[in-house]
Amino acid sequence: MFSCEYEADTLSAYTTAVKVDDLFDALPVRRRAMVESTRRTLDAIKSRLQTCLLAYPDIALHLVGGPSAAVLLSCAATTSVNQRISQLYGPHSAQALDFVSLDYAGWSVHGSISRAPTSKRVQNVFVDRLTEPDAELVGVAREVLSTSEYMARTNTAPGSGVENRPARARHPMFVLLVNSTHGAGQAVPAPDEASARSRLVT
């Protein structure tokens, strides 16, 4: 259904190439449903890969799809969460973020948080390199950033010449990578809720 061929030298910048032929060939109903919703399916695949790319900024990815082999997503490897956000959502989004880095109770946290609410609802907390955001920690971060003081802040629209222009929507934007730094088999004491919130706010 989706198939393509590449010359070997076109893959020199990438570690893995994936080729899919006759997808759902043995499942005609599923195949027909996918044909009818190709755009939605490709958008869902692209969205899922974007989330994975946020968790792994050091991974390069080139996504090609459809009969015309159009480029749907292309990102070079980087070591910065901000640079990855710039690749996926544009430099204006990255310019509205502050870098965060801290160590606490056997865990390291680094990533980016918007200085004020933004129009993009990008909210992810990845734990130990898992590509599925931790829903509970996302909820905690969202709640902490939803204080009246933070939500009252405004972002300057880059290049507009208008200072303190309010964002069109009111969403805290954050991408945080949380990794364990304690030794194998060593228990990590869980901080109490008040302490955790205080450190995140700080």
Side-chain angles (χ1 to χ4, degrees):
M1 185 170 178
F2 296 110
S3 64
C4 51
E5 296 180 359
Y6 292 93
E7 298 297 331
D9 58 359
T10 65
L11 298 176
S12 59
Y14 306 99
T15 304
T16 305
V18 179
K19 180 181 178 182
V20 180
D21 290 315
D22 301 322
L23 190 61
F24 300 123
D25 191 48
L27 302 170
V29 175
R30 181 67 183 88
R31 180 183 175 90
R32 185 164 56 253
M34 187 171 179
V35 170
E36 294 169 354
S37 61
T38 299
R39 177 174 296 179
R40 290 196 303 272
T41 301
L42 291 176
D43 285 345
I45 292 171
K46 179 180 176 181
S47 177
R48 183 71 185 101
L49 287 174
Q50 284 178 322
T51 301
C52 293
L53 287 170
L54 288 171
Y56 285 83
D58 52 338
I59 295 296
L61 184 139
H62 191 69
L63 176 64
V64 177
S68 61
V71 176
L72 304 177
L73 181 63
S74 184
C75 287
T78 178
T79 57
S80 164
V81 174
N82 260 32
Q83 289 180 5
R84 178 65 90 205
I85 291 173
S86 179
Q87 291 173 342
L88 294 175
Y89 304 107
H92 289 174
S93 295
Q95 290 167 7
L97 304 176
D98 279 333
F99 179 73
V100 176
S101 181
L102 61 91
D103 294 303
Y104 178 67
W107 297 90
S108 70
V109 180
H110 71 276
S112 299
I113 299 178
S114 60
R115 288 183 290 275
T118 71
S119 59
K120 294 187 183 299
R121 191 165 188 167
V122 179
Q123 301 174 338
N124 295 288
V125 179
F126 302 101
V127 179
D128 279 338
R129 306 278 284 181
L130 296 177
T131 57
E132 190 66 34
D134 188 299
E136 186 174 353
L137 290 179
V138 168
V140 170
R142 185 187 300 123
E143 184 178 348
V144 168
L145 293 172
S146 295
T147 62
S148 57
E149 180 184 356
Y150 176 86
M151 296 303 289
R153 297 178 184 176
T154 54
N155 272 319
T156 301
S160 67
V162 180
E163 294 186 356
N164 297 326
R165 179 178 178 180
R168 287 174 297 172
R170 314 297 288 175
H171 304 298
M173 180 176 180
F174 54 86
V175 177
L176 300 173
L177 309 183
V178 182
N179 295 293
S180 172
T181 59
H182 61 280
Q186 185 177 355
V188 177
D192 60 87
E193 184 176 354
S195 174
R197 289 176 184 276
S198 174
R199 288 176 178 273
L200 184 54
V201 170
T202 303

